[in-house]
Amino acid sequence: MFLRKTPQANGRIFLAIVKGYRDPVTKTTKAKTIESIGFLDELEKIYPDPIAHFTEKAKQMTEDEKRSGSIQLTVNTDEIMTTDTNDMKNIGFMVLSKIYHELGIHKFMINRERGLKAGYPLNKILKLIVFDRILHPSSKLSSYENRDMYLENFDFPLESVYRSLAIFAKHKDRLILDIHQNVVMKYNRDVSNVFYDVTNYYYHTEDETNLIAKGYSKDRKGKPIIQMGLLLDKTGLPMTYKLFRGNTSDPVTLLPILSEVKKEFNLARAIVVADKALNSGDNKAYNIIQGDGYIYSRSLRGTKADNETKAYALDEKDYRWIDKDHKIKSRIYPTDIGVTNEDGNKVNVSINEKHVVFYSAEYDRRSKHKRNELLSKASELIASPSRYAKAESYGAFKYIKGMKLDRKTGELSPAKKDSIPMIDMELVCEEEKYDGYYSIVTSELDMPDFEVVEKYKGLWKIEETFKLTKSLLKARPVYLKKDEHIEAHFLTCFIALLILRILERKTGNKYSAESLIESIKKANVVLLDMNNYKAVYYDKVLEHIDANVGTKLSKKYLSLEEIKTLVAETKQKK
């Protein structure tokens, strides 16, 4: 607070004690009258030096306010809000800011800013679109429009956001390596085994580019897609990713990303854990030649599994029961794998491989339940084939015989004029034999059987991660068409994903990512008067975050200065 001396038209000076504050809408400095005192010439009849007296009073009022921890508010009940008024601001983003700065992303981006003639605020832009990707996932334009929701300085033009995307893409690999090094130092990253898988993201376009192309889509939407290979460390924290053209088959994506990671991340030896889609001779050969290992699942159903492998799995000989619901056995045997030679031809190479078969009663029950759901739908398809779209029919259709599916139109019809569609019970009985069993092959001949299984079970982390990026982070559908913009989009999704995973880890995995996001979104403050705010939400999740992350979101009343101090604390090196 300070003393304001206002000259009047008649030459007299009016004194008032006012309080300065920054208007959150106009971003300009304003002042509000706290106490009207009077005209200077009249006050001189009462006080020897009115200026000195009331200057000291203003100073004392400021100190009393700070000491008492209370503020006085004056409310004008007739005040009208202007259009687009939004006095609600988010302070929960401080949780994300804490991890963002622990990862050293701010240093990396600020260093890149210094070499740019255009002077784009890369760090501020990246922070905004990463934080908003977590809290309000949408377009880059939407993130920019949300910038005033955060009590952080995101003051830059929209053009800077779009122009920065190409710069983010250019420095993507170096940034991810820098982040990796910080994760190693701050979170003791374990890369003794890594998880790898591939997924795809669809586009609302029919145009193809260097990255966008039609291929096998896990979503079966028939849209052009992009393939993404993602690598996680042993604890499930994302390590890196690589984008591939949509028509790239899954098995050929592993070698490029793994060779780059081995070189750039300086990994001595890694055991790759992946599902059966990555189980190819070339991948196995590469793992072995590079001195690495692998743990891959292999199919027991259908034509992809040979009869000898199926017979071994179903033969009760040599199984060891771990408990009443689980049994396991293994063997080491020579296996021929097809490897592509320098001429591009496939040649057979013999290697020793460990084959582990594991049975779980719970997996048995889940398999039967899932099949029964598909059989129920298959029965409905037979009765009313026109009721279902093509995408809904694929899983159930394989259990129907005597019916054909038009791959282009999705229409179902009898296979022949006189054929009667029915459930293929022969297929059902064949599949039921293998319910509860899964087969794993590994290069780790001396690794205990149960450890092989446990490492493979860790693959659920990457499956859950893909679900998280597609649902909570809404990484799809993608609308960008330029390769560098696409790369920047997935980079921001990757950083957002890593921050979320670290937050889950910091809070002991007590709450789901969805619960953490919802509580952080609700950690808002509302403007009371001038620079004073009132927090409106605090729950057990935020309490747990405060205790484990080091943020301070529980205070009910905060000044803008206090909020700025709390935000600044998230940026400090501990």
Side-chain angles (χ1 to χ4, degrees):
M1 285 177 257
F2 62 93
L3 181 67
R4 172 179 280 177
K5 302 174 281 292
T6 308
Q8 304 296 302
N10 58 10
R12 300 176 75 188
I13 296 176
F14 189 82
L15 301 184
I17 294 177
V18 300
K19 186 173 184 179
Y21 68 99
R22 182 173 176 81
D23 189 289
V25 178
T26 64
K27 305 290 192 294
T28 59
T29 301
K30 292 186 176 181
K32 185 168 186 176
T33 300
I34 303 300
E35 181 180 339
S36 296
I37 300 171
F39 290 101
L40 177 61
D41 56 343
E42 292 180 358
L43 293 169
E44 287 175 335
K45 299 173 184 178
I46 305 173
Y47 302 97
D49 188 348
I51 300 294
H53 175 80
F54 288 104
T55 297
E56 181 60 29
K57 182 179 180 180
K59 179 180 178 182
Q60 188 62 46
M61 289 172 68
T62 300
E63 292 176 356
D64 290 345
E65 184 177 273
K66 289 181 178 179
R67 187 165 49 251
S68 67
S70 63
I71 57 174
Q72 291 184 350
L73 300 177
T74 302
V75 179
N76 179 1
T77 57
D78 294 325
E79 188 172 357
I80 303 297
M81 289 189 292
T82 58
T83 304
D84 297 327
T85 295
N86 183 3
D87 289 338
M88 188 84 76
K89 306 292 180 183
N90 181 268
I91 59 171
F93 79 91
M94 290 191 286
V95 178
L96 312 178
S97 177
K98 180 87 171 177
I99 300 172
Y100 180 94
H101 288 85
E102 285 179 354
L103 292 173
I105 302 172
H106 63 299
K107 292 182 180 178
F108 183 93
M109 299 315 303
I110 290 171
N111 286 337
R112 298 307 176 280
E113 287 176 18
R114 292 170 182 157
L116 293 176
K117 295 180 181 179
Y120 301 137
L122 297 179
N123 182 49
K124 292 180 180 179
I125 293 171
L126 185 58
K127 272 201 294 187
L128 172 61
I129 57 181
V130 167
F131 295 170
D132 212 59
R133 173 59 51 185
I134 295 173
L135 301 180
H136 311 97
S138 190
S139 66
K140 305 300 178 286
L141 173 60
S142 178
S143 293
Y144 181 77
E145 292 172 343
N146 289 339
R147 69 193 184 284
D148 289 333
M149 295 175 62
Y150 307 99
L151 280 169
E152 172 71 293
N153 180 14
F154 292 137
D155 189 17
F156 43 79
L158 175 60
E159 307 85 70
S160 295
V161 175
Y162 292 116
R163 290 172 180 171
S164 295
L165 296 179
I167 302 173
F168 295 149
K170 177 182 177 182
H171 296 288
K172 169 240 173 181
D173 292 334
R174 186 66 187 85
L175 173 58
I176 289 180
L177 177 58
D178 196 75
I179 291 173
H180 163 71
Q181 292 167 345
N182 280 295
V183 174
V184 169
M185 291 187 292
K186 292 181 172 62
Y187 305 110
N188 299 314
R189 165 165 272 166
D190 187 342
V191 292
S192 57
N193 66 264
V194 294
F195 300 101
Y196 180 76
D197 204 353
V198 183
T199 193
N200 46 56
Y201 298 84
Y202 66 88
Y203 273 70
H204 279 316
T205 179
E206 295 300 322
D207 299 329
E208 297 193 357
T209 70
N210 290 333
L211 284 174
I212 307 168
K214 286 195 174 183
Y216 174 76
S217 173
K218 295 175 173 62
D219 297 305
R220 299 188 184 277
K221 292 185 178 293
K223 298 286 186 181
I225 58 174
I226 278 184
Q227 294 277 68
M228 173 199 270
L230 180 66
L231 204 67
L232 305 186
D233 66 18
K234 184 178 180 179
T235 63
L237 292 182
M239 288 180 63
T240 189
Y241 73 92
K242 189 174 181 65
L243 299 181
F244 299 89
R245 198 162 192 262
N247 57 3
T248 307
S249 62
D250 288 3
V252 302
T253 64
L254 176 62
L255 272 60
I257 192 169
L258 194 59
S259 60
E260 289 178 14
V261 168
K262 288 272 291 183
K263 178 182 178 182
E264 298 295 333
F265 288 31
N266 195 27
L267 298 186
R269 185 176 191 268
I271 299 174
V272 178
V273 184
D275 69 11
K276 54 182 175 289
L278 280 299
N279 185 351
S280 71
D282 286 335
N283 286 343
K284 290 179 180 179
Y286 178 83
N287 292 141
I288 295 169
I289 292 170
Q290 296 298 319
D292 297 323
Y294 61 83
I295 297 175
Y296 295 136
S297 65
R298 66 184 299 178
S299 179
L300 282 175
R301 293 189 174 96
T303 58
K304 291 185 178 180
D306 60 77
N307 291 331
E308 195 277 336
T309 299
K310 293 179 179 181
Y312 176 73
L314 297 178
D315 187 351
E316 286 297 322
K317 184 181 178 182
D318 297 329
Y319 270 114
R320 307 183 308 279
W321 284 92
I322 300 170
D323 53 44
K324 65 182 182 66
D325 291 328
H326 302 89
K327 62 182 178 180
I328 193 171
K329 71 175 179 178
S330 69
R331 60 178 178 173
I332 296 174
Y333 67 110
T335 305
D336 289 335
I337 60 173
V339 181
T340 306
N341 62 18
E342 294 180 355
D343 299 324
N345 299 317
K346 285 283 186 180
V347 294
N348 286 331
V349 176
S350 184
I351 62 171
N352 281 332
E353 192 172 54
K354 187 172 188 176
H355 179 192
V356 180
V357 184
F358 186 74
Y359 172 84
S360 163
E362 180 184 359
Y363 180 43
D364 189 338
R365 289 189 291 270
R366 284 206 313 266
S367 297
K368 285 180 169 57
H369 177 73
K370 185 175 180 180
R371 186 185 303 105
N372 287 337
E373 287 183 335
L374 291 173
L375 289 173
S376 177
K377 181 172 284 188
S379 297
E380 293 176 4
L381 281 170
I382 292 171
S384 304
S386 62
R387 287 179 55 191
Y388 293 89
K390 180 170 64 173
E392 298 174 303
S393 306
Y394 276 111
F397 179 71
K398 75 172 184 176
Y399 293 109
I400 304 174
K401 63 180 181 179
M403 181 177 277
K404 63 181 180 180
L405 171 66
D406 189 314
R407 298 288 174 175
K408 293 183 179 180
T409 65
E411 293 180 354
L412 293 164
S413 59
K416 295 180 181 179
K417 183 178 181 180
D418 298 325
S419 63
I420 301 175
M422 64 183 66
I423 300 296
D424 188 345
M425 292 307 301
E426 185 177 346
L427 173 61
V428 173
C429 292
E430 176 64 19
E431 285 195 352
E432 281 182 340
K433 294 179 184 177
Y434 307 101
D435 287 349
Y437 291 90
Y438 54 95
S439 175
I440 302 170
V441 292
T442 178
S443 59
E444 307 307 287
L445 306 183
D446 297 324
M447 183 178 288
D449 296 351
F450 196 70
E451 185 178 345
V452 172
V453 172
E454 286 303 299
K455 286 185 182 297
Y456 177 75
K457 283 183 177 179
L459 198 60
W460 68 267
K461 297 172 186 174
I462 202 163
E463 294 170 353
E464 184 193 38
T465 295
F466 281 142
K467 290 178 182 177
L468 194 155
T469 59
K470 292 181 178 182
S471 57
L472 289 182
L473 299 182
K474 292 183 170 61
R476 63 172 188 185
V478 187
Y479 295 93
L480 302 166
K481 293 185 179 180
K482 291 184 178 180
D483 287 355
E484 61 266 31
H485 290 179
I486 293 169
E487 195 72 76
H489 168 71
F490 283 104
L491 175 63
T492 58
C493 291
F494 174 85
I495 296 172
L497 175 65
L498 178 59
I499 288 175
L500 271 179
R501 285 305 193 207
I502 290 174
L503 179 57
E504 286 178 311
R505 178 170 165 175
K506 278 177 172 282
T507 51
N509 295 300
K510 186 175 181 179
Y511 299 102
S512 67
E514 186 174 14
S515 296
L516 294 168
I517 292 171
E518 282 304 307
S519 291
I520 292 172
K521 283 171 64 174
K522 293 177 181 177
N524 296 315
V525 294
V526 64
L527 181 65
L528 294 175
D529 184 45
M530 297 183 287
N531 287 336
N532 298 300
Y533 291 83
K534 176 183 177 295
V536 298
Y537 187 83
Y538 196 69
D539 62 10
K540 290 185 179 296
V541 178
L542 294 174
E543 182 182 37
H544 194 69
I545 289 174
D546 277 350
N548 291 276
V549 179
T551 45
K552 301 170 185 175
L553 299 171
S554 60
K555 192 172 181 184
K556 192 167 187 176
Y557 297 98
L558 304 102
S559 67
L560 182 60
E561 182 180 355
E562 288 176 308
I563 294 173
K564 286 182 176 180
T565 298
L566 292 176
V567 173
E569 287 177 358
T570 69
K571 304 174 184 179
Q572 294 173 0
K573 185 178 180 180
K574 297 294 184 181

